[in-house]
Amino acid sequence: MVLSDDTKLSHLRRGALEYCVLALLERHERYGLDIARELTTNGVLMSSEGTLYPLLARLRKASWVSTSWQESTEGPPRRYYSLTEAGATALDEFRAAWTVFRDAVDAALVSSGEIA
Amino acid sequence: MNQQPHTLHPLVARYLHDLDVLLKGIEPVERAEMVEGVREHIEASLSHTDRADADVRAALKEVGPATAVAEEAWAGRTSPAPSPRPPRTSRAWLPHTVAFFEAVTLLVVMVAVGGSAAVSSSSATVTTPDGKTTTEVTQNNFDGSIEGAVIALFAAIPIWLED
C-alpha cells in the first residue's frame, strides 16, 4: 500500500497533534490564530488552520485546556486557551510515552536500513 | 461572550453555514464551539486587512475546506449521521422480492422474444392490370426458435442472489 504524503502525515499526526497544542500552551496562554499559525509554519503538523478548532474543542471537553476572553489592541476581544493542571499532567505522560515510542520507531527504521 | 464586531462577509457566512451543516449530529455545545472558533479565527486573520473579497478568500484558504474541519471534528466518533435503518441493500426481504419480479419479467421476455422470432411474413408488391400498385402477403412463416428466449433467460438470471 502506497500512501500519499498527506495521508501519511495525517496518520502520523493523529494522536500526537493535540499534545503539540498542549505543549504550545505550556509557557503561556494563546489565542486560536496564534496557535494555528505556529502549527502550520512548516505544513507538517497541520495543513489547514481550521482543523485546530475541533481539536481545541476536544481538549476543552477533556478539561485539558480552559478558555478566557481578553481584550485585543488589534480588534475584537480574543478567546485565549490555557493549559490546565490535568492538561499539564497529560502532556507529561505523553512526553514519556513519546520518547519510548520514537526511540522504538527509530530503532526499527534504522535496523531495516531505511534511515541511517 | 460572543463578539460580532463586523457583519459577516457573505463568503464567510456561507463557509460557516456549510461547516455547521457538516457538523450536524455533534453535541450542540461542542458544535457551536467549533463553528464559533473558526469564525473568531477568520475575524482575527482579517483584522489587518481591508476585508475585500480577495482578503476573505485568502483567509478562507488558510482555514482550509469546511470538509477538512468537519473530518477532524468527526474523527473518532461512531458515525457522522447515524441512521436508524439499515441500508436498503442489507434488508433480508429485498433479494427475494427482486427475484420474484425478475422471474415475472423473465417470463414476459421469453414470450416476447420467442414469439417475435417465431412469426415472420413475406410480402410482394404487385401491379394490377389497371395500373394500381398493391402489397400482398405471399407467405407466413412460423419458423422462429426458442433459442432467443433461452439466451435471454441466461443473460438475465440473477446470479448475485446465490450467496
Side-chain angles (χ1 to χ4, degrees), chain A residues 14 32-33 36-37 48-51 53-54 57-58 60-61 69 74 76-77 79, chain B residues 1 5 30 33-34 36-37 40-41 44-45 47-48 62-63 68-69 72-73 75:
Chain A
R14 201 161 298 287
L33 181 62
R37 292 284 156 86
S48 302
E49 293 177 350
T51 56
Y53 295 93
R58 282 201 296 273
R60 191 204 51 76
K61 195 176 180 182
W69 287 89
E74 301 174 351
R79 189 197 316 246
Chain B
M1 190 171 179
E30 199 176 351
E33 184 179 351
M34 290 185 246
E36 188 64 10
E40 292 162 13
H41 180 105
S45 64
S47 62
H48 291 296
E62 293 293 323
V63 171
V69 180
E72 177 64 30

PDB file of all heavy atoms in Angstrom, chain A residues 14 32-33 36-37 48-51 53-54 57-58 60-61 69 74 76-77 79, chain B residues 1 5 30 33-34 36-37 40-41 44-45 47-48 62-63 68-69 72-73 75:
ATOM      1  N   ARG A  14      -2.264  12.004  13.933  1.00  0.00           N
ATOM      2  CA  ARG A  14      -3.363  11.600  14.809  1.00  0.00           C
ATOM      3  C   ARG A  14      -2.823  11.045  16.122  1.00  0.00           C
ATOM      4  O   ARG A  14      -2.008  10.155  16.150  1.00  0.00           O
ATOM      5  CB  ARG A  14      -4.242  10.568  14.117  1.00  0.00           C
ATOM      6  CG  ARG A  14      -5.627  10.483  14.722  1.00  0.00           C
ATOM      7  CD  ARG A  14      -6.606   9.826  13.781  1.00  0.00           C
ATOM      8  NE  ARG A  14      -6.786  10.556  12.528  1.00  0.00           N
ATOM      9  CZ  ARG A  14      -7.446  11.711  12.412  1.00  0.00           C
ATOM     10  NH1 ARG A  14      -7.971  12.268  13.481  1.00  0.00           N
ATOM     11  NH2 ARG A  14      -7.569  12.296  11.248  1.00  0.00           N
ATOM     12  N   GLY A  32      -6.496  31.317  19.314  1.00  0.00           N
ATOM     13  CA  GLY A  32      -6.553  30.306  18.259  1.00  0.00           C
ATOM     14  C   GLY A  32      -5.670  30.578  17.059  1.00  0.00           C
ATOM     15  O   GLY A  32      -4.909  29.709  16.614  1.00  0.00           O
ATOM     16  N   LEU A  33      -5.750  31.803  16.513  1.00  0.00           N
ATOM     17  CA  LEU A  33      -4.966  32.120  15.317  1.00  0.00           C
ATOM     18  C   LEU A  33      -3.475  31.976  15.589  1.00  0.00           C
ATOM     19  O   LEU A  33      -2.718  31.471  14.747  1.00  0.00           O
ATOM     20  CB  LEU A  33      -5.286  33.553  14.859  1.00  0.00           C
ATOM     21  CG  LEU A  33      -4.566  34.040  13.601  1.00  0.00           C
ATOM     22  CD1 LEU A  33      -4.945  33.194  12.392  1.00  0.00           C
ATOM     23  CD2 LEU A  33      -4.873  35.516  13.334  1.00  0.00           C
ATOM     24  N   ALA A  36      -2.648  28.295  15.629  1.00  0.00           N
ATOM     25  CA  ALA A  36      -2.741  27.730  14.280  1.00  0.00           C
ATOM     26  C   ALA A  36      -1.543  28.136  13.421  1.00  0.00           C
ATOM     27  O   ALA A  36      -0.972  27.304  12.703  1.00  0.00           O
ATOM     28  CB  ALA A  36      -4.039  28.198  13.624  1.00  0.00           C
ATOM     29  N   ARG A  37      -1.163  29.396  13.511  1.00  0.00           N
ATOM     30  CA  ARG A  37      -0.028  29.869  12.701  1.00  0.00           C
ATOM     31  C   ARG A  37       1.253  29.151  13.109  1.00  0.00           C
ATOM     32  O   ARG A  37       2.100  28.835  12.272  1.00  0.00           O
ATOM     33  CB  ARG A  37       0.128  31.396  12.862  1.00  0.00           C
ATOM     34  CG  ARG A  37      -1.017  32.175  12.238  1.00  0.00           C
ATOM     35  CD  ARG A  37      -0.875  32.199  10.701  1.00  0.00           C
ATOM     36  NE  ARG A  37      -2.143  32.414  10.013  1.00  0.00           N
ATOM     37  CZ  ARG A  37      -2.679  33.592   9.746  1.00  0.00           C
ATOM     38  NH1 ARG A  37      -2.066  34.699  10.132  1.00  0.00           N
ATOM     39  NH2 ARG A  37      -3.827  33.683   9.098  1.00  0.00           N
ATOM     40  N   SER A  48      -4.359  22.590   7.492  1.00  0.00           N
ATOM     41  CA  SER A  48      -5.440  23.576   7.428  1.00  0.00           C
ATOM     42  C   SER A  48      -5.669  24.145   8.821  1.00  0.00           C
ATOM     43  O   SER A  48      -5.878  23.388   9.774  1.00  0.00           O
ATOM     44  CB  SER A  48      -6.744  22.927   6.943  1.00  0.00           C
ATOM     45  OG  SER A  48      -6.552  22.336   5.685  1.00  0.00           O
ATOM     46  N   GLU A  49      -5.644  25.475   8.907  1.00  0.00           N
ATOM     47  CA  GLU A  49      -5.784  26.110  10.225  1.00  0.00           C
ATOM     48  C   GLU A  49      -7.107  25.762  10.904  1.00  0.00           C
ATOM     49  O   GLU A  49      -7.174  25.635  12.119  1.00  0.00           O
ATOM     50  CB  GLU A  49      -5.658  27.625  10.063  1.00  0.00           C
ATOM     51  CG  GLU A  49      -4.265  28.080   9.632  1.00  0.00           C
ATOM     52  CD  GLU A  49      -4.174  29.574   9.415  1.00  0.00           C
ATOM     53  OE1 GLU A  49      -5.230  30.248   9.419  1.00  0.00           O
ATOM     54  OE2 GLU A  49      -3.041  30.068   9.236  1.00  0.00           O
ATOM     55  N   GLY A  50      -8.153  25.601  10.114  1.00  0.00           N
ATOM     56  CA  GLY A  50      -9.476  25.350  10.687  1.00  0.00           C
ATOM     57  C   GLY A  50      -9.571  24.046  11.474  1.00  0.00           C
ATOM     58  O   GLY A  50     -10.411  23.915  12.371  1.00  0.00           O
ATOM     59  N   THR A  51      -8.709  23.090  11.133  1.00  0.00           N
ATOM     60  CA  THR A  51      -8.790  21.793  11.826  1.00  0.00           C
ATOM     61  C   THR A  51      -8.351  21.904  13.282  1.00  0.00           C
ATOM     62  O   THR A  51      -8.514  20.964  14.051  1.00  0.00           O
ATOM     63  CB  THR A  51      -7.931  20.738  11.119  1.00  0.00           C
ATOM     64  OG1 THR A  51      -6.594  21.203  11.010  1.00  0.00           O
ATOM     65  CG2 THR A  51      -8.468  20.434   9.729  1.00  0.00           C
ATOM     66  N   TYR A  53      -9.722  23.802  15.495  1.00  0.00           N
ATOM     67  CA  TYR A  53     -10.836  24.076  16.402  1.00  0.00           C
ATOM     68  C   TYR A  53     -11.581  22.830  16.893  1.00  0.00           C
ATOM     69  O   TYR A  53     -11.962  22.781  18.074  1.00  0.00           O
ATOM     70  CB  TYR A  53     -11.743  25.149  15.779  1.00  0.00           C
ATOM     71  CG  TYR A  53     -10.943  26.426  15.681  1.00  0.00           C
ATOM     72  CD1 TYR A  53     -10.233  26.741  14.527  1.00  0.00           C
ATOM     73  CD2 TYR A  53     -10.763  27.235  16.791  1.00  0.00           C
ATOM     74  CE1 TYR A  53      -9.405  27.857  14.470  1.00  0.00           C
ATOM     75  CE2 TYR A  53      -9.940  28.352  16.740  1.00  0.00           C
ATOM     76  CZ  TYR A  53      -9.262  28.651  15.585  1.00  0.00           C
ATOM     77  OH  TYR A  53      -8.423  29.736  15.548  1.00  0.00           O
ATOM     78  N   PRO A  54     -11.777  21.836  16.075  1.00  0.00           N
ATOM     79  CA  PRO A  54     -12.303  20.581  16.631  1.00  0.00           C
ATOM     80  C   PRO A  54     -11.359  19.992  17.680  1.00  0.00           C
ATOM     81  O   PRO A  54     -11.794  19.452  18.699  1.00  0.00           O
ATOM     82  CB  PRO A  54     -12.390  19.665  15.398  1.00  0.00           C
ATOM     83  CG  PRO A  54     -12.537  20.590  14.247  1.00  0.00           C
ATOM     84  CD  PRO A  54     -11.712  21.788  14.605  1.00  0.00           C
ATOM     85  N   ALA A  57     -11.692  21.971  20.831  1.00  0.00           N
ATOM     86  CA  ALA A  57     -12.963  21.634  21.487  1.00  0.00           C
ATOM     87  C   ALA A  57     -12.820  20.323  22.269  1.00  0.00           C
ATOM     88  O   ALA A  57     -13.355  20.182  23.371  1.00  0.00           O
ATOM     89  CB  ALA A  57     -14.080  21.534  20.455  1.00  0.00           C
ATOM     90  N   ARG A  58     -12.102  19.365  21.677  1.00  0.00           N
ATOM     91  CA  ARG A  58     -11.876  18.091  22.380  1.00  0.00           C
ATOM     92  C   ARG A  58     -11.039  18.305  23.646  1.00  0.00           C
ATOM     93  O   ARG A  58     -11.309  17.717  24.685  1.00  0.00           O
ATOM     94  CB  ARG A  58     -11.163  17.091  21.457  1.00  0.00           C
ATOM     95  CG  ARG A  58     -12.063  16.426  20.438  1.00  0.00           C
ATOM     96  CD  ARG A  58     -11.458  15.120  19.934  1.00  0.00           C
ATOM     97  NE  ARG A  58     -10.219  15.322  19.210  1.00  0.00           N
ATOM     98  CZ  ARG A  58     -10.155  15.575  17.901  1.00  0.00           C
ATOM     99  NH1 ARG A  58     -11.271  15.660  17.195  1.00  0.00           N
ATOM    100  NH2 ARG A  58      -8.992  15.739  17.295  1.00  0.00           N
ATOM    101  N   ARG A  60     -10.778  21.009  25.407  1.00  0.00           N
ATOM    102  CA  ARG A  60     -11.571  21.717  26.428  1.00  0.00           C
ATOM    103  C   ARG A  60     -12.567  20.767  27.071  1.00  0.00           C
ATOM    104  O   ARG A  60     -12.759  20.780  28.280  1.00  0.00           O
ATOM    105  CB  ARG A  60     -12.294  22.912  25.808  1.00  0.00           C
ATOM    106  CG  ARG A  60     -12.920  23.842  26.837  1.00  0.00           C
ATOM    107  CD  ARG A  60     -14.067  24.621  26.259  1.00  0.00           C
ATOM    108  NE  ARG A  60     -15.039  23.784  25.584  1.00  0.00           N
ATOM    109  CZ  ARG A  60     -15.941  23.025  26.204  1.00  0.00           C
ATOM    110  NH1 ARG A  60     -15.966  22.986  27.522  1.00  0.00           N
ATOM    111  NH2 ARG A  60     -16.793  22.296  25.512  1.00  0.00           N
ATOM    112  N   LYS A  61     -13.144  19.896  26.252  1.00  0.00           N
ATOM    113  CA  LYS A  61     -14.113  18.936  26.777  1.00  0.00           C
ATOM    114  C   LYS A  61     -13.437  17.976  27.760  1.00  0.00           C
ATOM    115  O   LYS A  61     -14.059  17.532  28.737  1.00  0.00           O
ATOM    116  CB  LYS A  61     -14.726  18.151  25.619  1.00  0.00           C
ATOM    117  CG  LYS A  61     -15.986  17.381  25.983  1.00  0.00           C
ATOM    118  CD  LYS A  61     -16.577  16.720  24.750  1.00  0.00           C
ATOM    119  CE  LYS A  61     -17.838  15.942  25.117  1.00  0.00           C
ATOM    120  NZ  LYS A  61     -18.405  15.249  23.936  1.00  0.00           N
ATOM    121  N   TRP A  69     -11.594  35.214  27.895  1.00  0.00           N
ATOM    122  CA  TRP A  69     -11.603  36.280  26.887  1.00  0.00           C
ATOM    123  C   TRP A  69     -10.688  37.399  27.340  1.00  0.00           C
ATOM    124  O   TRP A  69     -10.669  37.771  28.516  1.00  0.00           O
ATOM    125  CB  TRP A  69     -13.017  36.817  26.705  1.00  0.00           C
ATOM    126  CG  TRP A  69     -13.900  35.865  25.960  1.00  0.00           C
ATOM    127  CD1 TRP A  69     -14.666  34.868  26.496  1.00  0.00           C
ATOM    128  CD2 TRP A  69     -14.076  35.803  24.546  1.00  0.00           C
ATOM    129  NE1 TRP A  69     -15.315  34.187  25.499  1.00  0.00           N
ATOM    130  CE2 TRP A  69     -14.978  34.734  24.293  1.00  0.00           C
ATOM    131  CE3 TRP A  69     -13.575  36.532  23.478  1.00  0.00           C
ATOM    132  CZ2 TRP A  69     -15.374  34.394  22.998  1.00  0.00           C
ATOM    133  CZ3 TRP A  69     -13.971  36.202  22.191  1.00  0.00           C
ATOM    134  CH2 TRP A  69     -14.866  35.140  21.969  1.00  0.00           C
ATOM    135  N   GLU A  74      -5.750  44.911  18.651  1.00  0.00           N
ATOM    136  CA  GLU A  74      -5.803  44.804  17.190  1.00  0.00           C
ATOM    137  C   GLU A  74      -7.188  44.434  16.666  1.00  0.00           C
ATOM    138  O   GLU A  74      -7.321  44.006  15.523  1.00  0.00           O
ATOM    139  CB  GLU A  74      -4.792  43.760  16.721  1.00  0.00           C
ATOM    140  CG  GLU A  74      -3.375  44.090  17.137  1.00  0.00           C
ATOM    141  CD  GLU A  74      -2.403  42.977  16.804  1.00  0.00           C
ATOM    142  OE1 GLU A  74      -2.871  41.892  16.410  1.00  0.00           O
ATOM    143  OE2 GLU A  74      -1.198  43.188  16.949  1.00  0.00           O
ATOM    144  N   PRO A  76     -11.339  42.868  17.904  1.00  0.00           N
ATOM    145  CA  PRO A  76     -12.272  42.430  18.939  1.00  0.00           C
ATOM    146  C   PRO A  76     -11.572  41.575  19.995  1.00  0.00           C
ATOM    147  O   PRO A  76     -10.462  41.079  19.751  1.00  0.00           O
ATOM    148  CB  PRO A  76     -13.288  41.597  18.154  1.00  0.00           C
ATOM    149  CG  PRO A  76     -12.562  41.167  16.932  1.00  0.00           C
ATOM    150  CD  PRO A  76     -11.602  42.251  16.611  1.00  0.00           C
ATOM    151  N   PRO A  77     -12.201  41.384  21.151  1.00  0.00           N
ATOM    152  CA  PRO A  77     -11.624  40.512  22.182  1.00  0.00           C
ATOM    153  C   PRO A  77     -11.373  39.112  21.633  1.00  0.00           C
ATOM    154  O   PRO A  77     -12.065  38.659  20.708  1.00  0.00           O
ATOM    155  CB  PRO A  77     -12.711  40.494  23.267  1.00  0.00           C
ATOM    156  CG  PRO A  77     -13.482  41.729  23.058  1.00  0.00           C
ATOM    157  CD  PRO A  77     -13.473  41.979  21.587  1.00  0.00           C
ATOM    158  N   ARG A  79     -10.483  34.923  22.353  1.00  0.00           N
ATOM    159  CA  ARG A  79     -10.599  33.792  23.274  1.00  0.00           C
ATOM    160  C   ARG A  79      -9.207  33.166  23.422  1.00  0.00           C
ATOM    161  O   ARG A  79      -8.617  32.712  22.441  1.00  0.00           O
ATOM    162  CB  ARG A  79     -11.571  32.752  22.711  1.00  0.00           C
ATOM    163  CG  ARG A  79     -11.929  31.651  23.697  1.00  0.00           C
ATOM    164  CD  ARG A  79     -12.540  30.430  22.991  1.00  0.00           C
ATOM    165  NE  ARG A  79     -13.526  30.759  21.984  1.00  0.00           N
ATOM    166  CZ  ARG A  79     -14.828  30.463  22.068  1.00  0.00           C
ATOM    167  NH1 ARG A  79     -15.278  29.808  23.112  1.00  0.00           N
ATOM    168  NH2 ARG A  79     -15.655  30.782  21.080  1.00  0.00           N
TER     169      ARG A  79
ATOM    170  N   MET B   1     -19.564  34.814  26.094  1.00  0.00           N
ATOM    171  CA  MET B   1     -19.254  36.067  25.402  1.00  0.00           C
ATOM    172  C   MET B   1     -19.169  35.808  23.899  1.00  0.00           C
ATOM    173  O   MET B   1     -18.435  34.958  23.441  1.00  0.00           O
ATOM    174  CB  MET B   1     -17.916  36.603  25.921  1.00  0.00           C
ATOM    175  CG  MET B   1     -17.609  38.010  25.451  1.00  0.00           C
ATOM    176  SD  MET B   1     -16.150  38.618  26.347  1.00  0.00           S
ATOM    177  CE  MET B   1     -15.983  40.214  25.625  1.00  0.00           C
ATOM    178  N   PRO B   5     -18.184  41.846  15.886  1.00  0.00           N
ATOM    179  CA  PRO B   5     -17.792  43.221  15.605  1.00  0.00           C
ATOM    180  C   PRO B   5     -18.126  43.669  14.189  1.00  0.00           C
ATOM    181  O   PRO B   5     -18.272  44.838  13.928  1.00  0.00           O
ATOM    182  CB  PRO B   5     -16.280  43.207  15.813  1.00  0.00           C
ATOM    183  CG  PRO B   5     -15.876  41.786  15.544  1.00  0.00           C
ATOM    184  CD  PRO B   5     -17.038  40.951  15.979  1.00  0.00           C
ATOM    185  N   GLU B  30     -20.656  21.637  21.663  1.00  0.00           N
ATOM    186  CA  GLU B  30     -19.353  21.401  21.035  1.00  0.00           C
ATOM    187  C   GLU B  30     -19.366  21.881  19.578  1.00  0.00           C
ATOM    188  O   GLU B  30     -18.400  22.476  19.087  1.00  0.00           O
ATOM    189  CB  GLU B  30     -19.032  19.904  21.112  1.00  0.00           C
ATOM    190  CG  GLU B  30     -17.559  19.596  20.928  1.00  0.00           C
ATOM    191  CD  GLU B  30     -17.276  18.112  21.101  1.00  0.00           C
ATOM    192  OE1 GLU B  30     -18.179  17.368  21.529  1.00  0.00           O
ATOM    193  OE2 GLU B  30     -16.141  17.712  20.778  1.00  0.00           O
ATOM    194  N   GLU B  33     -19.193  25.547  19.513  1.00  0.00           N
ATOM    195  CA  GLU B  33     -17.853  25.970  19.922  1.00  0.00           C
ATOM    196  C   GLU B  33     -16.876  25.924  18.741  1.00  0.00           C
ATOM    197  O   GLU B  33     -16.066  26.825  18.543  1.00  0.00           O
ATOM    198  CB  GLU B  33     -17.373  25.047  21.049  1.00  0.00           C
ATOM    199  CG  GLU B  33     -16.026  25.425  21.631  1.00  0.00           C
ATOM    200  CD  GLU B  33     -15.614  24.479  22.756  1.00  0.00           C
ATOM    201  OE1 GLU B  33     -16.446  23.649  23.179  1.00  0.00           O
ATOM    202  OE2 GLU B  33     -14.460  24.558  23.185  1.00  0.00           O
ATOM    203  N   MET B  34     -16.993  24.858  17.949  1.00  0.00           N
ATOM    204  CA  MET B  34     -16.108  24.720  16.793  1.00  0.00           C
ATOM    205  C   MET B  34     -16.391  25.789  15.743  1.00  0.00           C
ATOM    206  O   MET B  34     -15.469  26.418  15.215  1.00  0.00           O
ATOM    207  CB  MET B  34     -16.263  23.321  16.176  1.00  0.00           C
ATOM    208  CG  MET B  34     -15.697  22.209  17.048  1.00  0.00           C
ATOM    209  SD  MET B  34     -15.787  20.622  16.217  1.00  0.00           S
ATOM    210  CE  MET B  34     -16.943  19.749  17.221  1.00  0.00           C
ATOM    211  N   GLU B  36     -17.869  28.660  16.152  1.00  0.00           N
ATOM    212  CA  GLU B  36     -17.512  29.975  16.689  1.00  0.00           C
ATOM    213  C   GLU B  36     -15.993  30.162  16.697  1.00  0.00           C
ATOM    214  O   GLU B  36     -15.481  31.253  16.416  1.00  0.00           O
ATOM    215  CB  GLU B  36     -18.076  30.099  18.110  1.00  0.00           C
ATOM    216  CG  GLU B  36     -17.953  31.485  18.711  1.00  0.00           C
ATOM    217  CD  GLU B  36     -18.751  32.538  17.962  1.00  0.00           C
ATOM    218  OE1 GLU B  36     -19.569  32.185  17.082  1.00  0.00           O
ATOM    219  OE2 GLU B  36     -18.545  33.723  18.241  1.00  0.00           O
ATOM    220  N   GLY B  37     -15.265  29.105  17.008  1.00  0.00           N
ATOM    221  CA  GLY B  37     -13.804  29.183  16.985  1.00  0.00           C
ATOM    222  C   GLY B  37     -13.285  29.528  15.609  1.00  0.00           C
ATOM    223  O   GLY B  37     -12.396  30.377  15.450  1.00  0.00           O
ATOM    224  N   GLU B  40     -14.118  33.211  14.850  1.00  0.00           N
ATOM    225  CA  GLU B  40     -13.178  34.122  15.524  1.00  0.00           C
ATOM    226  C   GLU B  40     -11.822  34.115  14.820  1.00  0.00           C
ATOM    227  O   GLU B  40     -11.167  35.163  14.690  1.00  0.00           O
ATOM    228  CB  GLU B  40     -12.997  33.698  16.980  1.00  0.00           C
ATOM    229  CG  GLU B  40     -14.234  33.885  17.834  1.00  0.00           C
ATOM    230  CD  GLU B  40     -14.161  33.073  19.116  1.00  0.00           C
ATOM    231  OE1 GLU B  40     -13.073  32.569  19.447  1.00  0.00           O
ATOM    232  OE2 GLU B  40     -15.197  32.903  19.774  1.00  0.00           O
ATOM    233  N   HIS B  41     -11.426  32.947  14.375  1.00  0.00           N
ATOM    234  CA  HIS B  41     -10.147  32.804  13.679  1.00  0.00           C
ATOM    235  C   HIS B  41     -10.145  33.647  12.410  1.00  0.00           C
ATOM    236  O   HIS B  41      -9.192  34.396  12.143  1.00  0.00           O
ATOM    237  CB  HIS B  41      -9.923  31.321  13.335  1.00  0.00           C
ATOM    238  CG  HIS B  41      -8.651  31.034  12.624  1.00  0.00           C
ATOM    239  ND1 HIS B  41      -7.572  30.453  13.239  1.00  0.00           N
ATOM    240  CD2 HIS B  41      -8.273  31.254  11.341  1.00  0.00           C
ATOM    241  CE1 HIS B  41      -6.583  30.329  12.367  1.00  0.00           C
ATOM    242  NE2 HIS B  41      -6.990  30.798  11.201  1.00  0.00           N
ATOM    243  N   ALA B  44     -10.048  37.326  13.260  1.00  0.00           N
ATOM    244  CA  ALA B  44      -8.705  37.748  13.687  1.00  0.00           C
ATOM    245  C   ALA B  44      -7.762  37.865  12.497  1.00  0.00           C
ATOM    246  O   ALA B  44      -6.958  38.808  12.422  1.00  0.00           O
ATOM    247  CB  ALA B  44      -8.153  36.745  14.699  1.00  0.00           C
ATOM    248  N   SER B  45      -7.877  36.928  11.562  1.00  0.00           N
ATOM    249  CA  SER B  45      -6.964  36.970  10.414  1.00  0.00           C
ATOM    250  C   SER B  45      -7.315  38.104   9.457  1.00  0.00           C
ATOM    251  O   SER B  45      -6.476  38.538   8.677  1.00  0.00           O
ATOM    252  CB  SER B  45      -6.961  35.622   9.689  1.00  0.00           C
ATOM    253  OG  SER B  45      -8.222  35.348   9.153  1.00  0.00           O
ATOM    254  N   SER B  47      -8.327  41.058  10.577  1.00  0.00           N
ATOM    255  CA  SER B  47      -8.291  42.314  11.337  1.00  0.00           C
ATOM    256  C   SER B  47      -7.325  43.340  10.750  1.00  0.00           C
ATOM    257  O   SER B  47      -7.485  44.534  10.954  1.00  0.00           O
ATOM    258  CB  SER B  47      -7.953  42.035  12.804  1.00  0.00           C
ATOM    259  OG  SER B  47      -6.674  41.447  12.902  1.00  0.00           O
ATOM    260  N   HIS B  48      -6.304  42.881  10.030  1.00  0.00           N
ATOM    261  CA  HIS B  48      -5.332  43.825   9.457  1.00  0.00           C
ATOM    262  C   HIS B  48      -5.550  44.029   7.964  1.00  0.00           C
ATOM    263  O   HIS B  48      -4.664  44.511   7.274  1.00  0.00           O
ATOM    264  CB  HIS B  48      -3.911  43.312   9.686  1.00  0.00           C
ATOM    265  CG  HIS B  48      -3.502  43.352  11.120  1.00  0.00           C
ATOM    266  ND1 HIS B  48      -3.385  44.508  11.835  1.00  0.00           N
ATOM    267  CD2 HIS B  48      -3.201  42.343  11.990  1.00  0.00           C
ATOM    268  CE1 HIS B  48      -3.020  44.241  13.068  1.00  0.00           C
ATOM    269  NE2 HIS B  48      -2.907  42.932  13.196  1.00  0.00           N
ATOM    270  N   GLU B  62      -6.595  29.779   4.014  1.00  0.00           N
ATOM    271  CA  GLU B  62      -5.750  29.388   5.152  1.00  0.00           C
ATOM    272  C   GLU B  62      -6.510  28.485   6.120  1.00  0.00           C
ATOM    273  O   GLU B  62      -5.944  27.553   6.686  1.00  0.00           O
ATOM    274  CB  GLU B  62      -5.272  30.638   5.906  1.00  0.00           C
ATOM    275  CG  GLU B  62      -4.330  31.521   5.125  1.00  0.00           C
ATOM    276  CD  GLU B  62      -2.994  30.841   4.872  1.00  0.00           C
ATOM    277  OE1 GLU B  62      -2.529  30.119   5.763  1.00  0.00           O
ATOM    278  OE2 GLU B  62      -2.427  31.013   3.781  1.00  0.00           O
ATOM    279  N   VAL B  63      -7.778  28.781   6.294  1.00  0.00           N
ATOM    280  CA  VAL B  63      -8.594  27.969   7.209  1.00  0.00           C
ATOM    281  C   VAL B  63      -8.754  26.552   6.661  1.00  0.00           C
ATOM    282  O   VAL B  63      -8.770  25.575   7.413  1.00  0.00           O
ATOM    283  CB  VAL B  63      -9.976  28.626   7.427  1.00  0.00           C
ATOM    284  CG1 VAL B  63     -10.910  27.697   8.198  1.00  0.00           C
ATOM    285  CG2 VAL B  63      -9.810  29.931   8.180  1.00  0.00           C
ATOM    286  N   ALA B  68     -12.633  19.469   5.547  1.00  0.00           N
ATOM    287  CA  ALA B  68     -11.455  19.037   6.314  1.00  0.00           C
ATOM    288  C   ALA B  68     -11.661  19.296   7.799  1.00  0.00           C
ATOM    289  O   ALA B  68     -11.288  18.470   8.645  1.00  0.00           O
ATOM    290  CB  ALA B  68     -10.213  19.760   5.811  1.00  0.00           C
ATOM    291  N   VAL B  69     -12.258  20.442   8.109  1.00  0.00           N
ATOM    292  CA  VAL B  69     -12.539  20.762   9.514  1.00  0.00           C
ATOM    293  C   VAL B  69     -13.540  19.748  10.075  1.00  0.00           C
ATOM    294  O   VAL B  69     -13.372  19.227  11.182  1.00  0.00           O
ATOM    295  CB  VAL B  69     -13.094  22.197   9.646  1.00  0.00           C
ATOM    296  CG1 VAL B  69     -13.387  22.520  11.103  1.00  0.00           C
ATOM    297  CG2 VAL B  69     -12.110  23.206   9.060  1.00  0.00           C
ATOM    298  N   GLU B  72     -12.021  16.366  10.767  1.00  0.00           N
ATOM    299  CA  GLU B  72     -11.292  16.355  12.049  1.00  0.00           C
ATOM    300  C   GLU B  72     -12.283  16.293  13.208  1.00  0.00           C
ATOM    301  O   GLU B  72     -12.050  15.614  14.207  1.00  0.00           O
ATOM    302  CB  GLU B  72     -10.419  17.606  12.146  1.00  0.00           C
ATOM    303  CG  GLU B  72      -9.667  17.757  13.460  1.00  0.00           C
ATOM    304  CD  GLU B  72      -8.653  16.651  13.693  1.00  0.00           C
ATOM    305  OE1 GLU B  72      -8.116  16.119  12.711  1.00  0.00           O
ATOM    306  OE2 GLU B  72      -8.409  16.296  14.870  1.00  0.00           O
ATOM    307  N   ALA B  73     -13.388  17.007  13.056  1.00  0.00           N
ATOM    308  CA  ALA B  73     -14.396  17.019  14.136  1.00  0.00           C
ATOM    309  C   ALA B  73     -15.021  15.643  14.335  1.00  0.00           C
ATOM    310  O   ALA B  73     -15.334  15.252  15.448  1.00  0.00           O
ATOM    311  CB  ALA B  73     -15.478  18.052  13.816  1.00  0.00           C
ATOM    312  N   ALA B  75     -13.578  12.785  13.615  1.00  0.00           N
ATOM    313  CA  ALA B  75     -12.563  11.748  13.835  1.00  0.00           C
ATOM    314  C   ALA B  75     -12.785  11.064  15.182  1.00  0.00           C
ATOM    315  O   ALA B  75     -12.921  11.721  16.212  1.00  0.00           O
ATOM    316  CB  ALA B  75     -11.171  12.371  13.789  1.00  0.00           C
TER     317      ALA B  75
END
